[in-house]
Amino acid sequence: MGMLGLPFLTRMEGFSAKIYITEAAARIGQLMMEELICMNMEYRQFYGAEESSGPQWMKWEELELLPSALRKIALGEDGSELGGGCPCIAHVKDCISKVQTLRFGEEACYNGILIIKAFSSGLDIGACNWIISGAKGNIAYISGSNFASGHAMDFDYRAIQGSDLILYSDLSSLDSTEDIDQSSFSDDNNNWEELMNSLSNYDESVEEMEKLAFICSCAIDSVKAGGSVLIPINRVGVFLQLLEQIAIFMECSSLKIPIYIISSVAEELLAYTNTIPEWLCKQRQEKLFSGDPLFAHVKLIKEKKIHVFPAVHSPKLLMNWQEPCIVFSPHWSLRLGPTIHLLRRWSGDHNSLLVLENEVDAELAVLPFKPISMKVLQCSFLSGKKLQKVQPLLKILQPKLVLFPEEWRTHVSFSDVTSFSVSHYSENETIHIPSLKESAELEIAADIASKFQWRMLKQKKLNITRLKGRLFVNHGKHQLLPENEPGGSSQTRPFLHWGSPDPENLLAELSKMGINGSVERCMTDAESEDGFTVKVQDPEKSMIEVRAAVTVISAADKNLASRIVKAMENILEGI
Amino acid sequence: MAIDCLVLGAGQEVGKSCVVVTINGKRIMFDCGMHMAYNDHRQYPDFSRISKSCDFNNAIDCIVITHFHLDHIGALPYFTEICGYNGPIYMTYPTRALAPIMLEDYRKVLVDRRGEVEQFTSDHIAECMKKVIAVDLKQTVQVDKDLQIRAYYAGHVLGAAMFYAKVGDSAMVYTGDYNMTPDRHLGAARIDRLQLDLLITDFDFHGICLVFQFTFCKCYNSEIEYRNSLFIDYAAAVSDTVDYIIVSYLISLPCPEMEALAFGLRSTYATTVRDSKYAREREFLKAAASSVLHTAVASILSFVVIIVVHKCVAGGGKVLIPAFALGRAQELCILLDDYWERMNLRVPIYFSAGLTIQANMYYKMLISWTSQKVKETYNAFDFKNVHNFDRSLIDAPGPCVLFATPGMLTGGFSLEVFKHWAPSEMNLITLPGYCLAGTIGNKLMSGNPTIELEGTKIDVRCQIHQLAFSPHTDGKGIMDLVKFLSPQHVILVHGEKPKMATLKERIQSELGIKCCDPANNESVCIPSTHYVKAGASDAFIRSCLNPNFQFLKSGSEEKSVSGSKCTEGTLPLWIKDERVAEGILVLEKSEKAKVVHQDELLLMLGEKRHEVQFAYCCPVNVDELEKFTTTSLTPTARMLRDPNKSSLIRLLVAKLSRKLSEGNIQDFGEHLQVESFHLSVCLKDTCPYRITNGLEDKPRTAFFCCTWSAADDKLARKIISAMENRDLVET
């Protein structure tokens, strides 16, 4: 769902950014995009393309997905081209071809300097949280996460533990007005494992199962009364679970009611979801190990309890059609796809049932179909962490800094938290965060390290050595490796000098080397007030001109010159 | 710092792979295989060498299994359930799913056939599998704080992986079996370019060579070596793929007529084949070959099998393919199903009850682990021409193909069918590449015409074909991988000693990489990488990234002389941008080492830089200079009899650029610059840097005041001696 706006971006001329998506999300996302386009085309066929601005779903979903800052970055100042009509299949194909897909825990290297990794968030199949790490620390982005999912792989919090910065963006339960009861999470509890267990207890999954069961029993009641049930497909994971559960309920109540799935991509989607054990929760993986299909729909389709059709007008569907029935179909907005036709058909039947998710404004959704005597059941599935779990979770994750949404400031208080600092962010505002680390980590090859020539600086108690090599910035690391042509420049001579030479010292050093000269103070030059000149006569005529920041040695013979330099080095500090 | 590598199995032999590696204090066991040829203590690795007290939980941090073959996983239940190892075990999802089936299958065979005391029970297998953590490809798994592992696709069998392991700065890869070319239903091995201290690679000279080894073993044992080399020579020379397939088939036929053909191949293959009495056969083959080429999983090795099977059913015969539940059956079945489809064949293909849908279910769920081609065909494991077999069909008339378990005809259904079908010459039995000694399969391989079974003699008159695609890597594949990864060291395991020795030589001489092939229970110690860690300041990093262009004139003097057409203007310029990182490492007591830029150091110290420079006012005879340069200068330059500053500089630049091979001479009109060497015309009467006396009085002497920093002293001296014509004597 988070990627449906992507073709709008990628079809822009000049768009060249890297896009990372998990493999499963990319595949399912592609199917959903294709379906949207297919439905949109159908819509235009039926109702004409009079609305040049495109269909409803585009206006209130896609565009809102793009904050203006992002729009500017991606498209330059001119964001007006956005929304220039609905993308077509070619756009989607093109978009997917620009995507780099990742598996959970796979390291993608951006430009040598950043490592990008995805870890399961448990929200839906392929949904993930991201960690971006560089030489100067790492950032975790936490989106809607679910501790115990009945389909997708569980929230992998361990991977996020110890990040320097957490950008907390699980905004899903904003509307919930639960009171935060923190009594159960005492602060002095340092046993994270224990704390984690209390967080990810099975209440949630039990709760979720109960919700599913409730929907199923409502559906059964409806079909028993002779009505039909329409369940618009929203999140893939929920859809698959609901499908399984309803079939089980039907079996239990020994009903012979057909279940139809009407969607242009359902067949592919159902086949695909049975080939991705790596992306699913533990219980589903166990099914792989015992040789059972990952989802029950495989068996149900074979047993002809579930029928899959690409469209309402599929000849096979028309031949097969039987009422009452249970139909899964897109689109959850009730403005596109087979749901429209089916709603028109059943809206007057008080025995029929429409199942909507809470995030849809039901009043608005059914408005075009009024008057409606069909029952509407609204349910909400977990789409993130519950509010009371936010603070304990962050404590477990032990970041240095948390960026928290401004809207939640009043709901979650961090006043008693000492282990990390918190900044609040709000939409379309840039906040500056302090540097996470002062310096980047540099790895120095042992070959270089073994050749260090340490120099002790007396006055500062420092050990210093010159360092030379080739810097490699690779896979998020800075490495200093030996030069290609070693030996060529085995200069051990210091090139950086500091200190102020004293004429007496210099003369003494020179005479040690068998060089004799005399000091002349030149008072004529105003700029070289504290300077002096040493005129050397023996062994050869030469001159040393010492000023505040520079010494100039003038000697025709290069051996003499280098001896003088040595003498200078002895009285200067240098490296 | 060192990596210790203890080879417990597959050292200079094939079978029971098991290597225990210690990297920076972390101990990893790679594979835990069993040796199929033994049933005494030699069948398992000698685990006591890991820990005298048999406290394996403390001795080993984790076990990594590369794939589900028994010589890589066979000893695992024994090690966990009987030796008591409780730590983590890592393998890929398919291996986790398929390994228990393999283990159970083998356990049954042992107990059923040999009546042996089982080494482990079904419960042991189940318990063992509970300790397994399944991993995905490329997923970086943090085993503990310091130890990191990652799986890479290896081809070979479904779910086979190479494993990367890293502790601290030391890293290694253990390959297990792999293949470097996409083959049949699997893709080629894929791995990132990694910085490695050690590569432990399986060496198994199967692949193409093995096909012939097995098909020839009946009549041409002594000539195997010869023929292998012959074939490889030939394969390299043939460009037409269809011909290539046909030749590979012809060579594989175990009939004497082929001998002459094989000998003639090297020079005159084309005429020999076209004129031979095999012309008709060739037509058949050609049609079939082009069809095979278009199948989803086309490969040369698979072609032989398909043709043999097709020829048999075309002649009305029945084909029995004894197979184990996993791997070969699915693999062959994809091939046959696809081929049947393309050739429009109606002969039924059957699966016996033991195999069937269950195993196919695994393959369907794991389709993302197969090759791209198979992945794209959605229903690769929904076989259209495959049906379930019924006992009543054994004696039904007409041709058919039957897959039946177990693979080596050790009993069960495949043996039952064998009894019925073996006496007919029309029928065909394809045996797996490897049959345990004592099995019927093994007896058939050694060419026994009569088999005694439960007292009754069976007259074996049917054709016998040995399946021989063992999808292992070959010498070239190993060389490619080693070259690609360029590790510091290579250890070869899982291969026969003489052949490994040859490859060892090649790796050392051709790639310059240290390589060894330890025997079982030998330990190898290799040094490992260690980096010194320090914090690096931004200024240092930035300074390292600054471009450092160097402009070099191409070629040496002699070159430009010999190629006299090259005038100075057209000499190509080499531009070098080798960025050298120079900084200062500062170590302050009780603080982390820090690398800074030299300017920062002064800031830290609160000191100001004191530069040490050289200066020299260099006298140059102008006549000399002109004489030297006129040869190459344009006439207009020669006319400048009264040199002004810039023309003097220009003259000098011309001269120096002829004489200096290094450095980039920049002419700024008023002065010239080479690195830090700065030169300008000195018009002062008494320059303090004019050291040499006696030259002032000479006519037509110009003075050039030069300064340079100590770093460029060498260069500067060279320039000065060139200016003073001190080297004229040499020219």
Side-chain angles (χ1 to χ4, degrees), chain B residues 603-724:
Chain B
L603 229 67
M604 278 170 74
L605 296 170
E607 294 275 1
K608 281 209 178 91
R609 181 171 188 167
H610 189 97
E611 209 142 353
V612 177
Q613 274 187 355
F614 292 98
Y616 182 63
C617 196
C618 179
V620 174
N621 188 317
V622 178
D623 287 333
E624 198 92 43
L625 192 61
E626 281 174 353
K627 197 175 75 199
F628 188 82
T629 49
T630 40
T631 50
S632 60
L633 271 186
T634 52
T636 43
R638 206 186 304 167
M639 285 184 343
L640 293 167
R641 300 303 301 170
D642 184 32
N644 59 23
K645 272 190 198 175
S646 56
S647 64
L648 272 173
I649 297 279
R650 212 179 307 147
L651 287 172
L652 206 57
V653 170
K655 177 178 175 175
L656 290 176
S657 55
R658 294 272 319 240
K659 293 203 150 193
L660 285 176
S661 56
E662 64 208 290
N664 172 32
I665 302 165
Q666 285 170 288
D667 182 358
F668 291 101
E670 291 280 298
H671 67 270
L672 73 82
Q673 186 108 32
V674 189
E675 311 296 341
S676 73
F677 182 88
H678 178 278
L679 176 148
S680 58
V681 180
C682 181
L683 297 175
K684 285 184 217 162
D685 289 332
T686 53
C687 177
Y689 308 127
R690 206 170 291 167
I691 310 287
T692 10
N693 286 319
L695 277 166
E696 287 114 74
D697 308 328
K698 280 194 181 169
R700 301 197 54 75
T701 297
F703 286 94
F704 296 98
C705 230
C706 315
T707 57
W708 64 92
S709 72
D712 293 316
D713 194 36
K714 250 187 180 164
L715 176 71
R717 294 288 169 188
K718 237 186 218 170
I719 296 171
I720 286 169
S721 59
M723 281 161 62
E724 290 179 340

Side-chain angles (χ1 to χ4, degrees), chain A residues 27 103 105 136 278 285 288-289 292 440-442 444 463 465 467 469 477 497 541 545 549 551 553-554 565, chain B residues 93 96 136 140 166 362 365 369 378 532 534 536 538 581 583 585 587 592 610-611 613-615 689 691:
Chain A
R27 185 67 187 276
R103 293 171 183 246
K136 281 202 162 185
E278 303 88 349
Q285 289 183 355
L288 163 76
F289 301 150
D292 296 325
E441 177 114 326
L442 179 72
I444 304 165
N463 275 308
T465 177
L467 191 63
K477 276 185 195 156
H497 301 279
K541 192 179 161 193
E545 195 179 64
T551 294
I553 299 163
S554 185
V565 170
Chain B
Y93 282 93
R96 165 66 184 84
D136 200 356
T140 305
K166 185 178 182 211
Y362 284 104
M365 284 190 277
W369 295 71
Y378 243 85
V532 178
D538 289 343
L585 183 64
L587 202 61
K592 203 182 165 194
H610 189 97
E611 209 142 353
Q613 274 187 355
F614 292 98
Y689 308 127
I691 310 287

